[in-house]
């Protein structure tokens, strides 16, 4: 019996030691709490708020302090389902919203509001209906920045006492009814067609103006070029006439030469297929007389020169042909004849 009692006493001691060790471990686990970064925990002591745990190692009183679920202090993004909103012109549109918020006070987020996510959603819906209700459909579609700003101001002011700061509110989509969408598409197509026709008409107008301006500039340049060409041709002809005139006076032509040139120029008057009549000027006989007189004087001068040459003496038979000839007398210069006046066509 003694041995059995001693054995039972040892078992009791071992069990007691195990219980004490387990109790100590549990106490240590309940007394030490490690909070990760960007998290916060609210500690309640005997049912009342005691403190807020910061990231790192924290010591608690076991079985007296209680830690509520940790709160995320990072910025959170919540997308709410589409909400029907009535505009000022009595059209129902479906609007999706996205809210960016951040918990700044863990105690207020825990005790000031039961469920801050539901509260933010409902506040966003009611504020959105108030803001969009004062706008028509076109303003609601084109004033997203204005709506976002008004929503952010109202939500930030209302959620401040909850320990929440609303950073941004965005309208993800605004969907009007299907019939309104069809009407808007038809209106946009008509507006684009009108703009296209206006742009086409303006382009045609500008093209016609530019074409007319180009033709006017082309005609002006052509006229200026033709005028300059005529001036240059006239100047060239004047210079040619002056050159011929100077050459004639510098060469001092005689009457027969001028008469001969006059006769050569006469056939050119009849050139051309439309000339049926050849007008012979009255001065033609005068020109022929001048030519005859000139040729007669030339023949007389040649005869006089031949008579002035003495006859050659016969060469002896023993002499060969002489390599030296006596000089011949120069013929007398003929007097220049008066040039015939130019003929005038009758």
């Amino acid at each position: 019996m003694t041995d059995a009692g001693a054995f039972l006493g040892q078992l009791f001691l071992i069990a007691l030691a195990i219980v004490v060790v387990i109790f100590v471990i549990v106490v240590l686990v309940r007394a030490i709490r490690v909070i990760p970064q960007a998290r916060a925990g609210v500690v309640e002591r005997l049912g009342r708020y005691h403190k807020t745990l910061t990231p790192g190692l924290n010591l608690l009183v076991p079985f007296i302090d209680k830690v509520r679920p940790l709160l995320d202090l990072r910025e959170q993004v919540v997308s709410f389902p589409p909400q029907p909103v009535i505009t000022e012109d009595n059209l129902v549109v479906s609007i999706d919203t996205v809210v960016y918020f951040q918990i700044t006070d863990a105690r207020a987020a825990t005790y000031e509001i039961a469920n801050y996510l539901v509260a933010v959603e409902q506040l966003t819906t009611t504020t959105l209906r108030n803001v969009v209700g004062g706008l028509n459909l076109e303003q609601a579609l084109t004033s997203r920045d204005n709506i976002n700003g008004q929503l952010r101001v109202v939500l930030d002011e209302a959620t401040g006492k909850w320990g929440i700061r609303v950073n941004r509110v965005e309208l993800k989509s605004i969907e009007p009814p299907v019939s309104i969408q069809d009407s808007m598409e038809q209106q946009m197509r008509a507006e684009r067609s009108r703009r296209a026709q206006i742009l086409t008409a303006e382009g045609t107008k500008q093209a016609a103006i530019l074409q007319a301006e180009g033709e006017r500039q082309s005609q002006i340049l052509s006229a200026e070029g033709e005028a300059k060409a005529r001036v240059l041709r006239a100047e060239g002809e004047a210079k040619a006439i002056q050159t011929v005139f100077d050459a004639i006076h510098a060469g001092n032509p005689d009457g027969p030469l001028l008469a001969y040139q006059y006769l050569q120029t006469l056939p050119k008057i009849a050139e051309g297929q439309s000339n049926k009549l050849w007008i012979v000027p009255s001065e033609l006989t005068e020109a022929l007389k001048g030519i005859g007189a000139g040729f007669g004087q030339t023949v007389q001068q040649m005869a006089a020169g031949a008579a002035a040459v003495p006859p050659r003496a016969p060469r002896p038979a023993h002499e060969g042909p002489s390599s030296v000839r006596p000089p011949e007398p120069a013929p007398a210069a003929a007097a220049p004849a008066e040039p015939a006046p130019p003929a005038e066509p009758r």
Side-chain angles (χ1 to χ4, degrees):
M1 294 294 293
T2 304
D3 295 337
F7 179 73
L8 291 175
Q10 291 178 355
L11 289 177
F12 178 75
L13 292 176
I14 292 173
L16 182 60
I18 293 174
V19 170
V20 171
V21 171
I22 293 174
F23 178 77
V24 170
I25 293 174
V26 171
V27 169
L28 292 176
V29 170
R30 299 291 299 270
I32 298 173
R33 189 68 181 267
V34 177
I35 305 300
Q37 184 66 32
R39 299 289 192 280
V42 175
V43 178
E44 294 179 349
R45 177 170 290 181
L46 300 178
R48 296 183 61 183
Y49 171 77
H50 177 63
K51 66 177 180 179
T52 301
L53 300 180
T54 58
L57 181 63
N58 296 272
L59 297 178
L60 303 174
V61 177
F63 305 108
I64 297 177
D65 294 341
K66 179 183 177 181
V67 180
R68 295 181 66 90
L70 300 181
L71 299 176
D72 193 348
L73 301 181
R74 296 174 296 180
E75 185 174 5
Q76 302 180 37
V77 182
V78 180
S79 177
F80 299 131
Q83 299 295 329
V85 180
I86 301 176
T87 61
E88 186 180 12
D89 47 359
N90 297 324
L91 293 176
V92 179
V93 295
S94 180
I95 301 178
D96 297 347
T97 55
V98 179
V99 179
Y100 298 80
F101 68 93
Q102 185 177 9
I103 297 176
T104 59
D105 188 357
R107 177 182 176 279
T110 303
Y111 296 107
E112 297 296 335
I113 188 70
N115 190 339
Y116 59 85
L117 286 179
V118 176
V120 170
E121 179 182 0
Q122 296 300 323
L123 183 60
T124 302
T125 302
T126 55
T127 307
L128 182 63
R129 289 176 179 175
N130 293 332
V131 173
V132 178
L135 303 174
N136 55 32
L137 179 60
E138 186 176 358
Q139 292 176 348
L141 293 175
T142 58
S143 302
R144 291 194 176 189
D145 293 338
N146 186 20
I147 297 174
N148 294 337
Q150 295 183 21
L151 288 176
R152 189 187 66 80
V153 171
V154 174
L155 290 176
D156 193 18
E157 182 180 358
T159 58
K161 62 180 181 179
W162 301 340
I164 297 174
R165 182 177 69 247
V166 177
N167 297 326
R168 295 182 63 184
V169 179
E170 296 291 340
L171 299 182
K172 187 165 60 176
S173 64
I174 301 177
E175 297 181 359
V178 179
S179 59
I180 301 300
Q181 292 182 7
D182 295 338
S183 301
M184 293 173 62
E185 291 179 358
Q186 294 177 3
Q187 181 181 0
M188 290 302 299
R189 284 196 296 267
E191 181 67 19
R192 291 177 180 177
S193 299
R194 184 182 67 84
R195 292 179 181 178
Q197 292 177 359
I198 292 175
L199 292 177
T200 303
E202 290 180 354
T204 304
K205 175 184 176 181
Q206 292 294 331
I209 292 173
L210 292 176
Q211 184 177 2
E213 183 67 20
E215 292 179 355
R216 187 177 69 86
Q217 292 291 337
S218 176
Q219 292 177 0
I220 291 174
L221 293 176
S222 299
E224 291 179 353
E226 185 177 357
K228 290 182 179 179
R230 289 182 180 180
V231 170
L232 292 176
R233 282 197 298 267
E235 291 179 355
E237 291 177 359
K239 289 181 180 180
I241 293 172
Q242 185 66 32
T243 302
V244 173
F245 182 78
D246 294 341
I248 291 174
H249 283 274
N252 194 14
D254 53 2
L257 178 60
L258 293 176
Y260 179 71
Q261 291 293 333
Y262 182 69
L263 290 176
Q264 284 186 341
T265 308
L266 286 178
K268 294 182 180 179
I269 300 176
E271 288 182 357
Q273 299 179 358
S274 62
N275 293 333
K276 303 300 183 180
L277 181 63
W278 187 17
I279 301 174
V280 179
S282 60
E283 290 80 2
L284 179 59
T285 56
E286 300 292 337
L288 293 177
K289 290 180 180 179
I291 294 173
F295 279 108
Q297 290 178 2
T298 303
V299 173
Q300 290 177 4
Q301 290 174 2
M302 292 175 62
V309 176
R312 296 182 182 178
R315 289 181 291 182
H318 61 275
E319 294 183 359
S322 177
S323 59
V324 179
R325 296 181 59 187
E328 296 181 358
E338 292 291 334
E344 297 181 358
R346 297 181 179 177

